[in-house]
Amino acid sequence: PSFTQSGTYTIRFAVTDGEKTCHEDISITVYDRQVGGGASAYNQIQAEEYTDMSGIQSENCLEGGRNVGWIQNGDYICYYGINFGQGAESFSARVSSESAGGMIELRLGSVTGKLIGTCSVSPTGGWQQWKTVSCPVSEAAGTHELFLVFCSNGTDSDYLMNINWFQFSPKAAIT
C-alpha cells in the first residue's frame, strides 16, 4: 500500500487453511516526509532516532540508551527536517570501532546528494569504547533531509563503526 498522509495505520494479515482463519493486526506509523520545522542541527541527535535507514541495526549502548551499529560500507541513516538555520560550521559524532573504522559522509537531500562534509573514524579499541570525532562542514543552511552515509577507508573490514549521537556547531555570528 501507499501511505500519503502521516498517521498510524493498521494492516490486517489473514491466513486461512480452508477451515480456520487466523489474523494479526500490525500498526504502522507514517511520519510526514515534508521538510520543515524539524529538529535543530545544533542539539544532540540520537543516532537511533533516524527516519530512514539502510543496512544498520540498533543495539544497547554502554553509555546508556541505544546506538546504531552493524554498519557496513554503503549503509546510511537519514533524518528528515534537520534545521541548520543560518549555517553550520562543524559536525561532531560519538563513535566507536573495533575494526579499521571508516568515514561518515554528510549529505543533503539523498544518499548521493550534496556532500557537506566527511568525518573520519579511526579504531577506538572496541565496539563500545567511545570517542567524539569532528570535521568541518560547508554549505549547510536552511532545513534539509540529512543523510549519514558510511564508507570504508579501503580496508577489507566487514563492519566499520558504531554511532551513538551527533550534532552540528553553528557558524560564528558576524558582528
Side-chain angles (χ1 to χ4, degrees):
S2 176
F3 304 106
T4 57
Q5 294 183 340
S6 62
T8 301
Y9 296 85
T10 301
I11 299 173
R12 176 166 282 184
F13 293 94
V15 177
T16 185
D17 65 2
E19 295 177 22
K20 183 177 168 188
T21 299
C22 295
H23 67 274
E24 183 73 28
D25 291 339
I26 307 288
S27 292
I28 298 173
T29 301
V30 177
Y31 296 97
D32 186 2
R33 285 189 62 134
Q34 285 218 305
V35 174
S40 171
Y42 310 117
N43 293 333
Q44 195 174 89
I45 298 172
Q46 294 298 313
E48 70 276 11
E49 294 178 358
Y50 53 81
T51 50
D52 195 9
M53 64 84 178
S54 176
I56 60 89
Q57 296 179 38
S58 65
E59 62 185 3
N60 290 329
C61 180
L62 197 61
E63 293 188 327
R66 312 249 326 142
N67 65 261
V68 168
W70 308 100
I71 298 170
Q72 295 178 294
N73 187 48
D75 289 353
Y76 70 85
I77 46 182
C78 171
Y79 305 84
Y80 299 139
I82 301 298
N83 187 346
F84 293 94
Q86 297 300 309
E89 183 172 73
S90 65
F91 169 86
S92 298
R94 192 80 170 149
V95 298
S96 65
S97 179
E98 191 171 283
S99 71
M103 295 168 289
I104 306 171
E105 291 183 347
L106 309 169
R107 295 185 174 272
L108 300 180
S110 74
V111 174
T112 58
K114 182 176 192 61
L115 181 65
I116 61 167
T118 302
C119 201
S120 182
V121 176
S122 58
T124 64
W127 292 115
Q128 292 292 318
Q129 291 184 9
W130 298 93
K131 71 176 181 179
T132 304
V133 295
S134 299
C135 64
V137 298
S138 62
E139 299 182 53
T143 303
H144 300 274
E145 288 181 76
L146 172 67
F147 286 77
L148 277 59
V149 181
F150 302 99
C151 305
S152 82
N153 55 12
T155 64
D156 288 335
S157 181
D158 192 20
Y159 295 104
L160 305 178
M161 68 191 77
N162 290 347
I163 181 169
N164 188 5
W165 55 259
F166 65 90
Q167 74 183 89
F168 291 82
S169 296
K171 286 184 180 178
I174 299 172
T175 57

